[in-house]
């Protein structure tokens, strides 16, 4: 079957080049070994760009905190960060605060540049089809999904995947995101208000053994 890729699996696929960790390896191997078409929506494409900008903003906050210990992390004063991102920034700061600021800045800038270049190459060379922009999202599907999926970005991604599924043979919805747990996904498929919609088959690498 073809595969619709969620944001998470693509980011982890890109990160595997410099973070040799098991989950990232599994994401990398899935995409690398795929023999069928890889699909995404423009919603996913936009979200990928936002994730990179979010990462950049986290790094900028950490550098600022290292230079000025009195600086306070506050997601309300940022552009892309949410409350849980600030917690991550705080943990990163505690781990890196004794390191040289300029060296860290170079490493952070190098990572962001790598992600941007790699993402452009991925979209050009790996993705076979892109459809469904944010303005084209089905408001009815999205409103139902919001009752089950707390993360708004994840809700929009799945909405776009369901829309693409309506005109195709069943494909995999491939992710590595805890918000798409298998049991909860099956429960969502049984939602009576969505009974007339075809759902992709979930493949959540996060929950797979081996």
């Amino acid at each position: 079957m073809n595969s619709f890729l969620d944001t998470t699996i693509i980011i982890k696929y890109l990160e595997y080049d410099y973070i040799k960790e098991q989950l990232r390896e599994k994401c990398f191997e899935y995409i690398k070994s795929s023999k069928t078409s890889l699909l995404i929506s423009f919603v996913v494409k936009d979200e990928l760009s936002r994730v990179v900008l979010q990462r950049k903003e986290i790094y900028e906050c950490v550098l600022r905190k290292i230079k000025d210990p009195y600086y306070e992390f506050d997601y309300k004063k940022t552009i892309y960060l949410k409350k849980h991102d600030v917690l991550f920034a705080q943990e990163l700061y505690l781990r890196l605060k004794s390191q040289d600021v300029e060296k860290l800045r170079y490493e952070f800038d190098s990572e962001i540049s790598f992600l941007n270049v790699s993402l452009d190459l991925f979209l050009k060379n790996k993705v076979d089809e892109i459809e469904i922009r944010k303005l084209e999202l089905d408001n009815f599907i999205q409103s139902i999904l919001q009752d089950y999926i707390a993360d708004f970005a994840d809700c929009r991604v799945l909405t776009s995947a369901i829309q693409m599924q309506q005109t195709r043979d069943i494909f995999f919805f491939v992710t590595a995101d805890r918000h798409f747990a298998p049991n909860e996904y099956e429960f969502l498929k049984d939602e009576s208000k969505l009974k007339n919609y075809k759902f992709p088959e979930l493949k959540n690498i996060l929950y797979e053994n081996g």
Side-chain angles (χ1 to χ4, degrees), residues 6-151:
D6 178 35
T7 311
T8 309
I9 187 176
I10 297 172
I11 291 294
K12 291 189 181 300
Y13 164 86
L14 299 177
E15 289 177 333
Y16 182 64
D17 188 79
Y18 57 91
I19 303 177
K20 303 302 183 184
E21 173 265 343
Q22 186 179 27
L23 180 59
R24 288 175 174 82
E25 181 180 11
K26 290 165 70 174
C27 294
F28 178 85
E29 289 298 332
Y30 182 86
I31 292 177
K32 179 184 177 183
S33 62
S34 176
K35 304 298 182 184
T36 55
S37 295
L38 298 178
L39 320 172
I40 68 169
S41 62
F42 285 101
V43 175
V44 170
K45 183 175 182 290
D46 292 343
E47 183 66 9
L48 288 165
S49 297
R50 188 194 66 81
V51 167
V52 176
L53 290 170
Q54 182 184 58
R55 183 82 55 88
K56 182 178 180 181
E57 190 165 33
I58 287 173
Y59 290 162
E60 289 172 349
C61 288
V62 169
L63 290 171
R64 186 171 176 182
K65 179 70 171 176
I66 293 173
K67 292 177 70 175
D68 177 11
Y70 293 102
Y71 170 74
E72 295 292 335
F73 294 115
D74 184 354
Y75 73 95
K76 295 177 182 178
K77 296 180 180 179
T78 66
I79 299 174
Y80 299 103
L81 305 191
K82 299 178 182 178
K83 191 172 183 178
H84 67 272
D85 298 314
V86 169
L87 295 176
F88 174 75
Q90 289 172 333
E91 293 173 0
L92 190 62
Y93 162 72
L94 291 173
R95 195 164 74 244
L96 301 176
K97 64 180 181 178
S98 62
Q99 296 194 27
D100 180 75
V101 172
E102 293 309 314
K103 181 181 179 182
L104 276 179
R105 186 185 303 279
Y106 175 80
E107 292 175 355
F108 288 160
D109 288 347
S110 295
E111 180 183 328
I112 297 302
S113 295
F114 170 82
L115 286 174
N116 279 320
V117 171
S118 298
L119 181 54
D120 287 343
L121 291 172
F122 176 83
L123 294 172
K124 179 179 179 180
N125 300 325
K126 288 290 186 181
V127 175
D128 296 289
E129 294 182 56
I130 309 180
E131 291 185 14
I132 312 295
R133 300 180 186 276
K134 286 180 183 178
L135 291 176
E136 298 170 332
L137 287 172
D138 186 309
N139 291 327
F140 175 75
I141 298 175
Q142 183 171 296
S143 66
I144 301 301
L145 295 185
Q146 282 182 262
D147 291 335
Y148 296 89
I149 302 173
D151 188 277

